[in-house]
Amino acid sequence: MILGVIEYEQSTMTELSLQMVTFGRDLAEKSGDEFVGLIIGASDNAPLIGELGRYGVAKVITAAHENLKDYAPVAWANTISQVIDQTQAKMVMAPGSDQGNEVMAHLAARSDLPMATNCAAVSADDLSRITRLRWGSSLMEEAILTGDCKLITIAPFVVEAAEGASHAEPAEESFEPTLSDQDIQVRLIRKEPDETEGITLKNASVVVGGGRGVGSPEAYSVLEELAKLLGGAVGCSRVATNNGWRPHSDQVGLTGTRISPELYIACGISGAIQHLVGCKGAGKIMVINKDPEAAFFGKADYGVIGDLHEVLPAIIEELKAQ
Ligand code: FAD
């Protein structure tokens, strides 16, 4: 059995969770294993189970306990460990998100099981052989995980989320873990939404990103205006975050958010590998940079060589005129 730890927000599976389920379901089909979804601590399991059914998952385990009501990584890890003991799962996978990596690291440490993060492939003939992305995806590492159960997280955007061929309602099995207050030493106290009118960096169909070339926090107002006109969100490079021009929640990249808009408009950003990792899920990329040698042009579908302070107002004017 391959177990997939489901990540959700307000009873909806996250994009990375849908990708992980697609990855796990397809792997299990090829390896002849069963893929089982594990939902931990959800206040309402029904919508998540329905979603898993659409993604071709035939069985779901739902774990509930007083100490799982809020996200608590140690309690989640302890719960998964108990589910492994009961099911003898060969592999447990989670999305390669902050949460997924955190829970799996706790699980690996407490259960002494081998773990690999950021996996891009697993051999269907031998689940211990994995390929993972390293150095901001510039290196593919092949590794062998030795242990009865292998723990992995799936690198974001290595597969596209796709519904399953069958849409049957999955069989549900409830599980009540044994947990104590020790398991909630680390827990979620408060969640601060990084949303602007419901559009976030993660769900925006258009992202307008700005880097050092924007020059000041005030100058982001023109990016904000363009993003608003296009119904999108504003992102930034790490230089902008480091300079205190934008909050970290706006940062795109290896140590920021991985985005997958239909269009990413990158303004005054050079295209360092650590930034590119964060926007490689974008459908189309448009680069505005005054340096024709900027590396980002090599990844661009559309490129404008020019000063963003002139190009952006011109685009805005044109859009307003339409
Ligand atoms: P620069 O590289 O300085 O580029 C500025 C660009 O703006 C230049 O190409 C310039 O030609 C152009 N420009 C200047 N003025 C104008 C103008 N008026 N009009 C148009 N173009 C103009 N970076 C991230 O972004 N996200 C990450 O998550 C991230 N994680 C990292 C993790 C690690 C471990 C490390 C080591 C680095 C990380 N970085 C990350 C930093 C990354 O390596 C780069 O330093 C950073 O992305 C550069 O930001 P930038 O493109 O804004 O600045």
Side-chain angles (χ1 to χ4, degrees):
M1 173 204 280
I2 298 174
L3 206 58
V5 183
I6 306 305
E7 199 172 293
Y8 53 86
E9 271 163 27
Q10 291 160 357
S11 302
T12 304
M13 281 167 63
T14 61
E15 171 60 27
L16 296 190
S17 214
L18 293 173
Q19 292 172 12
M20 181 274 295
V21 167
T22 304
F23 186 108
R25 175 201 69 204
D26 291 351
L27 173 66
E29 228 170 79
K30 288 186 204 134
S31 68
D33 287 293
E34 182 186 26
F35 181 81
V36 175
L38 172 60
I39 303 172
I40 301 176
S43 56
D44 187 5
N45 286 308
L48 295 168
I49 294 174
E51 228 174 337
L52 283 163
R54 284 197 299 283
Y55 276 77
V57 177
K59 186 175 168 186
V60 177
I61 298 175
T62 53
H65 188 281
E66 186 65 22
N67 289 354
L68 293 172
K69 280 191 174 154
D70 289 318
Y71 169 63
V74 180
W76 275 51
N78 193 355
T79 301
I80 302 168
S81 166
Q82 293 174 40
V83 174
I84 294 173
D85 288 345
Q86 180 175 297
T87 60
Q88 300 298 306
K90 288 183 196 169
M91 172 169 266
V92 180
M93 61 177 66
S97 58
D98 290 346
Q99 180 176 313
N101 287 327
E102 180 176 39
V103 169
M104 295 298 262
H106 277 290
L107 175 60
R110 73 175 302 129
S111 56
D112 201 20
L113 288 171
M115 172 181 170
T117 55
N118 237 13
C119 291
V122 176
S123 163
D125 299 328
D126 177 0
L127 295 184
S128 60
R129 292 182 174 273
I130 59 102
T131 306
R132 68 189 196 110
L133 305 181
R134 299 200 58 192
W135 297 100
S137 306
S138 56
L139 179 80
M140 305 268 270
E141 178 186 72
E142 293 192 346
I144 297 175
L145 299 179
T146 49
D148 292 339
C149 179
K150 289 102 186 138
L151 311 181
I152 62 170
T153 63
I154 307 302
F157 303 105
V158 290
V159 293
E160 215 170 289
E163 291 194 5
S166 73
H167 283 195
E169 184 72 7
E172 181 187 349
E173 191 182 297
S174 342
F175 180 80
E176 196 177 330
T178 308
L179 298 172
S180 72
D181 286 351
Q182 293 285 326
D183 293 306
I184 48 170
Q185 283 169 353
V186 180
R187 64 179 157 176
L188 182 75
I189 306 267
R190 191 177 64 238
K191 225 175 178 176
E192 294 194 0
D194 54 355
E195 296 176 15
T196 328
E197 292 165 11
I199 300 171
T200 68
L201 259 193
K202 281 186 187 161
N203 69 17
S205 57
V206 179
V207 172
V208 184
R212 193 196 301 275
V214 178
S216 68
E218 296 74 32
Y220 274 85
S221 59
V222 71
L223 281 78
E224 274 160 6
E225 193 179 353
L226 178 60
K228 200 166 176 195
L229 275 171
L230 297 172
V234 171
C236 69
S237 73
R238 184 152 119 173
V239 166
T241 315
N242 284 353
N243 288 354
W245 297 349
R246 303 295 296 182
H248 181 259
S249 54
D250 281 3
Q251 187 179 310
V252 173
L254 184 64
T255 45
T257 301
R258 318 273 167 127
I259 59 168
S260 53
E262 285 166 32
L263 174 65
Y264 180 41
I265 306 176
C267 315
I269 301 178
S270 57
I273 180 73
Q274 296 88 354
H275 187 84
L276 296 179
V277 171
C279 61
K280 67 176 183 187
K284 298 274 183 217
I285 295 178
M286 174 178 178
V287 169
I288 303 171
N289 198 304
K290 64 181 185 183
D291 175 8
E293 301 296 323
F296 222 148
F297 282 123
K299 300 286 175 195
D301 297 284
Y302 314 102
V304 182
I305 300 167
D307 186 333
L308 69 93
H309 302 294
E310 291 166 14
V311 177
L312 288 180
I315 295 175
I316 289 170
E317 203 181 297
E318 187 63 32
L319 283 172
K320 281 183 175 167
Q322 280 176 14

